[in-house]
Amino acid sequence: GTLGSAYFKLGETDKSIEYKEKAHEIKKTIYGEFSPKISVSYNNLARLYSDLDLSDKAIEFYSRALQIQQINLGENHFSCAIIYNNLGFEYQKQNNFEQALTYYFNALQIHQYIEEHGNTNPQIIGVLNNIGCVYQKSGNYRLSIDYLLQCLTHAEQIYDQYPPSFYTTIFSLDTSYRKYLQQKPNDMEIKNQYSDFLNKYKHYISERNE
């Protein structure tokens, strides 16, 4: 694993993969296929493949990591939601929006379950943002607005100082409002909603456009 990381930093990706996969196979021999340690190893390999834009391999290894986590920790565990979100992102990179949404909604369901049990959960913000952005890319601006608004609401409830992703969500929401109103300029409910949005966040949008 350490050699693989060193080769990756040197830009020798083939050797990086070779040594990381060798380390992974050794761990499987020591701990067994369904050990939580092997799930971590699969997840690390998946991230490597994702960084190399090898989404099919990333999906394969994330899926194996997910299976092990479900066996060891249960289907509603936080770590499963993280992997679902990663899987959604890989399918989003492939422009397979339907499959991306399936995994994002699986992640969202777990995060909502965690929230329902009284736990603050910042990870839900990223998932809501991802869902809103996928709907935007697929041309469903109305649903994009709904989920991006939920994202902002959660961010405002959780953070005193907003993370950088907060501003990205504002810009995405502005785009979805404008594109939706280009299609349906007479939708007064959304027009009024967009006006309220601009009144609240226009200084952020102005800063971006300067």
Side-chain angles (χ1 to χ4, degrees):
T2 304
L3 269 173
S5 298
Y7 278 119
F8 185 78
K9 289 178 182 178
L10 292 171
E12 297 188 42
T13 54
D14 289 342
K15 284 188 176 180
S16 177
I17 291 171
E18 177 186 349
Y19 280 99
K20 280 185 175 290
E21 288 195 343
K22 282 181 179 178
H24 173 72
E25 291 303 319
I26 292 170
K27 288 176 184 176
K28 280 170 65 176
T29 302
I30 296 171
Y31 299 111
E33 174 68 28
F34 297 104
S35 165
K37 292 180 183 291
I38 302 306
S39 176
V40 172
S41 183
Y42 274 129
N43 199 65
N44 290 339
L45 279 166
R47 283 206 304 268
L48 172 61
Y49 282 120
S50 179
D51 289 342
L52 297 173
D53 289 325
L54 298 170
S55 283
D56 286 338
K57 290 293 290 185
I59 288 167
E60 177 188 345
F61 281 85
Y62 277 134
S63 297
R64 292 182 185 180
L66 176 64
Q67 181 186 21
I68 296 169
Q69 293 294 67
Q70 288 173 327
I71 290 169
N72 285 283
L73 300 172
E75 294 188 357
N76 286 324
H77 194 270
F78 176 79
S79 64
C80 294
I82 300 299
I83 300 173
Y84 276 132
N85 188 59
N86 291 338
L87 280 163
F89 181 68
E90 295 305 320
Y91 280 109
Q92 182 178 339
K93 288 199 297 187
Q94 295 180 340
N95 292 324
N96 186 340
F97 299 135
E98 183 177 354
Q99 196 67 20
L101 285 171
T102 296
Y103 283 107
Y104 284 146
F105 276 115
N106 285 340
L108 180 61
Q109 186 175 19
I110 295 172
H111 288 311
Q112 288 173 332
Y113 173 83
I114 293 170
E115 280 200 336
E116 286 167 5
H117 286 75
N119 297 303
T120 301
N121 184 14
Q123 292 290 334
I124 197 171
I125 295 169
V127 177
L128 289 166
N129 183 76
N130 290 343
I131 293 171
C133 288
V134 169
Y135 276 129
Q136 185 185 94
K137 287 182 178 180
S138 60
N140 192 331
Y141 302 115
R142 185 67 184 83
L143 283 177
S144 176
I145 290 167
D146 287 346
Y147 283 94
L148 291 173
L149 279 176
Q150 289 183 56
C151 176
L152 283 187
T153 299
H154 275 79
E156 290 173 335
Q157 290 172 346
I158 292 173
Y159 292 108
D160 294 325
Q161 292 185 331
Y162 299 132
S165 61
F166 174 80
Y167 305 101
T168 304
T169 302
I170 289 173
F171 305 147
S172 295
L173 192 46
D174 180 56
T175 298
S176 287
Y177 272 125
R178 287 187 288 102
K179 287 185 177 292
Y180 178 81
L181 289 170
Q182 286 172 5
Q183 295 176 342
K184 297 189 177 181
N186 296 322
D187 188 331
M188 294 308 299
E189 179 186 354
I190 297 300
K191 258 190 174 179
N192 292 333
Q193 197 180 98
Y194 184 39
S195 178
D196 292 340
F197 167 81
L198 288 176
N199 286 334
K200 188 171 183 179
Y201 298 109
K202 61 184 176 182
H203 57 291
Y204 296 116
I205 299 167
S206 298
E207 287 174 7
R208 178 187 64 167
N209 294 330
E210 285 178 354

PDB file of all heavy atoms in Angstrom, residues 151-170:
ATOM      1  N   CYS A 151     -30.816  21.503   0.348  1.00  0.00           N
ATOM      2  CA  CYS A 151     -29.386  21.563   0.658  1.00  0.00           C
ATOM      3  C   CYS A 151     -29.048  22.842   1.415  1.00  0.00           C
ATOM      4  O   CYS A 151     -28.368  22.809   2.448  1.00  0.00           O
ATOM      5  CB  CYS A 151     -28.589  21.458  -0.633  1.00  0.00           C
ATOM      6  SG  CYS A 151     -26.808  21.617  -0.425  1.00  0.00           S
ATOM      7  N   LEU A 152     -29.529  23.996   0.917  1.00  0.00           N
ATOM      8  CA  LEU A 152     -29.261  25.270   1.578  1.00  0.00           C
ATOM      9  C   LEU A 152     -29.854  25.310   2.984  1.00  0.00           C
ATOM     10  O   LEU A 152     -29.231  25.804   3.925  1.00  0.00           O
ATOM     11  CB  LEU A 152     -29.834  26.419   0.751  1.00  0.00           C
ATOM     12  CG  LEU A 152     -29.074  26.852  -0.502  1.00  0.00           C
ATOM     13  CD1 LEU A 152     -29.703  28.110  -1.083  1.00  0.00           C
ATOM     14  CD2 LEU A 152     -27.606  27.099  -0.193  1.00  0.00           C
ATOM     15  N   THR A 153     -31.070  24.805   3.121  1.00  0.00           N
ATOM     16  CA  THR A 153     -31.740  24.803   4.425  1.00  0.00           C
ATOM     17  C   THR A 153     -30.924  24.023   5.450  1.00  0.00           C
ATOM     18  O   THR A 153     -30.720  24.476   6.591  1.00  0.00           O
ATOM     19  CB  THR A 153     -33.146  24.198   4.305  1.00  0.00           C
ATOM     20  OG1 THR A 153     -33.925  24.986   3.399  1.00  0.00           O
ATOM     21  CG2 THR A 153     -33.840  24.153   5.653  1.00  0.00           C
ATOM     22  N   HIS A 154     -30.440  22.851   5.041  1.00  0.00           N
ATOM     23  CA  HIS A 154     -29.629  22.047   5.960  1.00  0.00           C
ATOM     24  C   HIS A 154     -28.322  22.754   6.297  1.00  0.00           C
ATOM     25  O   HIS A 154     -27.881  22.735   7.453  1.00  0.00           O
ATOM     26  CB  HIS A 154     -29.334  20.670   5.345  1.00  0.00           C
ATOM     27  CG  HIS A 154     -30.416  19.665   5.566  1.00  0.00           C
ATOM     28  ND1 HIS A 154     -31.575  19.631   4.821  1.00  0.00           N
ATOM     29  CD2 HIS A 154     -30.531  18.668   6.483  1.00  0.00           C
ATOM     30  CE1 HIS A 154     -32.344  18.648   5.253  1.00  0.00           C
ATOM     31  NE2 HIS A 154     -31.734  18.054   6.259  1.00  0.00           N
ATOM     32  N   ALA A 155     -27.692  23.373   5.302  1.00  0.00           N
ATOM     33  CA  ALA A 155     -26.431  24.081   5.553  1.00  0.00           C
ATOM     34  C   ALA A 155     -26.632  25.195   6.565  1.00  0.00           C
ATOM     35  O   ALA A 155     -25.799  25.402   7.471  1.00  0.00           O
ATOM     36  CB  ALA A 155     -25.871  24.631   4.245  1.00  0.00           C
ATOM     37  N   GLU A 156     -27.732  25.913   6.443  1.00  0.00           N
ATOM     38  CA  GLU A 156     -28.005  27.023   7.358  1.00  0.00           C
ATOM     39  C   GLU A 156     -28.304  26.528   8.765  1.00  0.00           C
ATOM     40  O   GLU A 156     -28.010  27.212   9.747  1.00  0.00           O
ATOM     41  CB  GLU A 156     -29.165  27.857   6.818  1.00  0.00           C
ATOM     42  CG  GLU A 156     -28.784  28.640   5.559  1.00  0.00           C
ATOM     43  CD  GLU A 156     -29.980  29.328   4.913  1.00  0.00           C
ATOM     44  OE1 GLU A 156     -31.114  28.858   5.116  1.00  0.00           O
ATOM     45  OE2 GLU A 156     -29.763  30.318   4.209  1.00  0.00           O
ATOM     46  N   GLN A 157     -28.880  25.338   8.872  1.00  0.00           N
ATOM     47  CA  GLN A 157     -29.206  24.782  10.177  1.00  0.00           C
ATOM     48  C   GLN A 157     -27.965  24.230  10.891  1.00  0.00           C
ATOM     49  O   GLN A 157     -27.885  24.250  12.119  1.00  0.00           O
ATOM     50  CB  GLN A 157     -30.249  23.671  10.028  1.00  0.00           C
ATOM     51  CG  GLN A 157     -31.626  24.172   9.640  1.00  0.00           C
ATOM     52  CD  GLN A 157     -32.596  23.049   9.310  1.00  0.00           C
ATOM     53  OE1 GLN A 157     -32.186  21.885   9.118  1.00  0.00           O
ATOM     54  NE2 GLN A 157     -33.878  23.357   9.231  1.00  0.00           N
ATOM     55  N   ILE A 158     -26.992  23.757  10.103  1.00  0.00           N
ATOM     56  CA  ILE A 158     -25.851  23.049  10.683  1.00  0.00           C
ATOM     57  C   ILE A 158     -24.654  23.957  10.921  1.00  0.00           C
ATOM     58  O   ILE A 158     -23.991  23.868  11.956  1.00  0.00           O
ATOM     59  CB  ILE A 158     -25.456  21.854   9.780  1.00  0.00           C
ATOM     60  CG1 ILE A 158     -26.565  20.785   9.830  1.00  0.00           C
ATOM     61  CG2 ILE A 158     -24.113  21.258  10.209  1.00  0.00           C
ATOM     62  CD1 ILE A 158     -26.364  19.650   8.851  1.00  0.00           C
ATOM     63  N   TYR A 159     -24.381  24.873   9.981  1.00  0.00           N
ATOM     64  CA  TYR A 159     -23.136  25.639  10.038  1.00  0.00           C
ATOM     65  C   TYR A 159     -23.343  27.078  10.499  1.00  0.00           C
ATOM     66  O   TYR A 159     -24.315  27.725  10.113  1.00  0.00           O
ATOM     67  CB  TYR A 159     -22.468  25.660   8.660  1.00  0.00           C
ATOM     68  CG  TYR A 159     -21.938  24.315   8.214  1.00  0.00           C
ATOM     69  CD1 TYR A 159     -22.573  23.597   7.203  1.00  0.00           C
ATOM     70  CD2 TYR A 159     -20.799  23.777   8.796  1.00  0.00           C
ATOM     71  CE1 TYR A 159     -22.087  22.368   6.792  1.00  0.00           C
ATOM     72  CE2 TYR A 159     -20.308  22.542   8.395  1.00  0.00           C
ATOM     73  CZ  TYR A 159     -20.954  21.848   7.389  1.00  0.00           C
ATOM     74  OH  TYR A 159     -20.471  20.636   6.990  1.00  0.00           O
ATOM     75  N   ASP A 160     -22.392  27.555  11.304  1.00  0.00           N
ATOM     76  CA  ASP A 160     -22.338  28.978  11.631  1.00  0.00           C
ATOM     77  C   ASP A 160     -21.626  29.740  10.518  1.00  0.00           C
ATOM     78  O   ASP A 160     -22.035  30.827  10.130  1.00  0.00           O
ATOM     79  CB  ASP A 160     -21.596  29.197  12.955  1.00  0.00           C
ATOM     80  CG  ASP A 160     -22.356  28.615  14.131  1.00  0.00           C
ATOM     81  OD1 ASP A 160     -23.606  28.662  14.107  1.00  0.00           O
ATOM     82  OD2 ASP A 160     -21.715  28.088  15.059  1.00  0.00           O
ATOM     83  N   GLN A 161     -20.539  29.150  10.008  1.00  0.00           N
ATOM     84  CA  GLN A 161     -19.828  29.702   8.859  1.00  0.00           C
ATOM     85  C   GLN A 161     -19.935  28.682   7.730  1.00  0.00           C
ATOM     86  O   GLN A 161     -19.562  27.526   7.902  1.00  0.00           O
ATOM     87  CB  GLN A 161     -18.365  29.971   9.189  1.00  0.00           C
ATOM     88  CG  GLN A 161     -18.173  31.105  10.190  1.00  0.00           C
ATOM     89  CD  GLN A 161     -16.710  31.429  10.398  1.00  0.00           C
ATOM     90  OE1 GLN A 161     -15.859  30.563  10.271  1.00  0.00           O
ATOM     91  NE2 GLN A 161     -16.430  32.675  10.721  1.00  0.00           N
ATOM     92  N   TYR A 162     -20.441  29.128   6.603  1.00  0.00           N
ATOM     93  CA  TYR A 162     -20.750  28.191   5.530  1.00  0.00           C
ATOM     94  C   TYR A 162     -19.484  27.637   4.878  1.00  0.00           C
ATOM     95  O   TYR A 162     -18.512  28.368   4.666  1.00  0.00           O
ATOM     96  CB  TYR A 162     -21.606  28.871   4.458  1.00  0.00           C
ATOM     97  CG  TYR A 162     -22.927  29.373   4.967  1.00  0.00           C
ATOM     98  CD1 TYR A 162     -23.361  30.660   4.682  1.00  0.00           C
ATOM     99  CD2 TYR A 162     -23.740  28.560   5.744  1.00  0.00           C
ATOM    100  CE1 TYR A 162     -24.578  31.127   5.153  1.00  0.00           C
ATOM    101  CE2 TYR A 162     -24.954  29.012   6.224  1.00  0.00           C
ATOM    102  CZ  TYR A 162     -25.368  30.300   5.927  1.00  0.00           C
ATOM    103  OH  TYR A 162     -26.565  30.762   6.402  1.00  0.00           O
ATOM    104  N   PRO A 163     -19.500  26.351   4.530  1.00  0.00           N
ATOM    105  CA  PRO A 163     -18.368  25.770   3.800  1.00  0.00           C
ATOM    106  C   PRO A 163     -18.379  26.260   2.349  1.00  0.00           C
ATOM    107  O   PRO A 163     -19.391  26.795   1.873  1.00  0.00           O
ATOM    108  CB  PRO A 163     -18.682  24.264   3.857  1.00  0.00           C
ATOM    109  CG  PRO A 163     -20.174  24.197   3.955  1.00  0.00           C
ATOM    110  CD  PRO A 163     -20.578  25.395   4.777  1.00  0.00           C
ATOM    111  N   PRO A 164     -17.265  26.091   1.627  1.00  0.00           N
ATOM    112  CA  PRO A 164     -17.219  26.530   0.222  1.00  0.00           C
ATOM    113  C   PRO A 164     -18.331  25.948  -0.644  1.00  0.00           C
ATOM    114  O   PRO A 164     -18.814  26.610  -1.569  1.00  0.00           O
ATOM    115  CB  PRO A 164     -15.840  26.037  -0.246  1.00  0.00           C
ATOM    116  CG  PRO A 164     -15.017  25.997   0.999  1.00  0.00           C
ATOM    117  CD  PRO A 164     -15.969  25.584   2.093  1.00  0.00           C
ATOM    118  N   SER A 165     -18.760  24.720  -0.324  1.00  0.00           N
ATOM    119  CA  SER A 165     -19.815  24.088  -1.131  1.00  0.00           C
ATOM    120  C   SER A 165     -21.134  24.860  -1.057  1.00  0.00           C
ATOM    121  O   SER A 165     -21.964  24.779  -1.972  1.00  0.00           O
ATOM    122  CB  SER A 165     -20.044  22.647  -0.655  1.00  0.00           C
ATOM    123  OG  SER A 165     -20.464  22.632   0.711  1.00  0.00           O
ATOM    124  N   PHE A 166     -21.320  25.628   0.032  1.00  0.00           N
ATOM    125  CA  PHE A 166     -22.535  26.411   0.184  1.00  0.00           C
ATOM    126  C   PHE A 166     -22.693  27.402  -0.971  1.00  0.00           C
ATOM    127  O   PHE A 166     -23.774  27.566  -1.533  1.00  0.00           O
ATOM    128  CB  PHE A 166     -22.480  27.159   1.516  1.00  0.00           C
ATOM    129  CG  PHE A 166     -23.611  28.120   1.764  1.00  0.00           C
ATOM    130  CD1 PHE A 166     -24.838  27.675   2.211  1.00  0.00           C
ATOM    131  CD2 PHE A 166     -23.430  29.479   1.548  1.00  0.00           C
ATOM    132  CE1 PHE A 166     -25.880  28.561   2.449  1.00  0.00           C
ATOM    133  CE2 PHE A 166     -24.463  30.377   1.781  1.00  0.00           C
ATOM    134  CZ  PHE A 166     -25.685  29.917   2.231  1.00  0.00           C
ATOM    135  N   TYR A 167     -21.590  28.039  -1.342  1.00  0.00           N
ATOM    136  CA  TYR A 167     -21.642  29.038  -2.412  1.00  0.00           C
ATOM    137  C   TYR A 167     -21.865  28.374  -3.773  1.00  0.00           C
ATOM    138  O   TYR A 167     -22.582  28.902  -4.618  1.00  0.00           O
ATOM    139  CB  TYR A 167     -20.349  29.864  -2.398  1.00  0.00           C
ATOM    140  CG  TYR A 167     -20.088  30.490  -1.055  1.00  0.00           C
ATOM    141  CD1 TYR A 167     -19.169  29.927  -0.171  1.00  0.00           C
ATOM    142  CD2 TYR A 167     -20.810  31.605  -0.642  1.00  0.00           C
ATOM    143  CE1 TYR A 167     -18.960  30.481   1.082  1.00  0.00           C
ATOM    144  CE2 TYR A 167     -20.597  32.166   0.615  1.00  0.00           C
ATOM    145  CZ  TYR A 167     -19.682  31.598   1.471  1.00  0.00           C
ATOM    146  OH  TYR A 167     -19.489  32.146   2.715  1.00  0.00           O
ATOM    147  N   THR A 168     -21.276  27.210  -3.954  1.00  0.00           N
ATOM    148  CA  THR A 168     -21.509  26.456  -5.188  1.00  0.00           C
ATOM    149  C   THR A 168     -22.979  26.114  -5.341  1.00  0.00           C
ATOM    150  O   THR A 168     -23.549  26.204  -6.432  1.00  0.00           O
ATOM    151  CB  THR A 168     -20.665  25.162  -5.195  1.00  0.00           C
ATOM    152  OG1 THR A 168     -19.293  25.491  -5.022  1.00  0.00           O
ATOM    153  CG2 THR A 168     -20.846  24.405  -6.500  1.00  0.00           C
ATOM    154  N   THR A 169     -23.624  25.742  -4.233  1.00  0.00           N
ATOM    155  CA  THR A 169     -25.054  25.420  -4.259  1.00  0.00           C
ATOM    156  C   THR A 169     -25.881  26.649  -4.623  1.00  0.00           C
ATOM    157  O   THR A 169     -26.840  26.551  -5.401  1.00  0.00           O
ATOM    158  CB  THR A 169     -25.500  24.855  -2.898  1.00  0.00           C
ATOM    159  OG1 THR A 169     -24.735  23.690  -2.591  1.00  0.00           O
ATOM    160  CG2 THR A 169     -26.983  24.488  -2.929  1.00  0.00           C
ATOM    161  N   ILE A 170     -25.527  27.803  -4.089  1.00  0.00           N
ATOM    162  CA  ILE A 170     -26.243  29.038  -4.425  1.00  0.00           C
ATOM    163  C   ILE A 170     -26.165  29.314  -5.924  1.00  0.00           C
ATOM    164  O   ILE A 170     -27.167  29.633  -6.569  1.00  0.00           O
ATOM    165  CB  ILE A 170     -25.668  30.228  -3.624  1.00  0.00           C
ATOM    166  CG1 ILE A 170     -26.043  30.098  -2.148  1.00  0.00           C
ATOM    167  CG2 ILE A 170     -26.188  31.563  -4.176  1.00  0.00           C
ATOM    168  CD1 ILE A 170     -25.377  31.121  -1.258  1.00  0.00           C
TER     169      ILE A 170
END
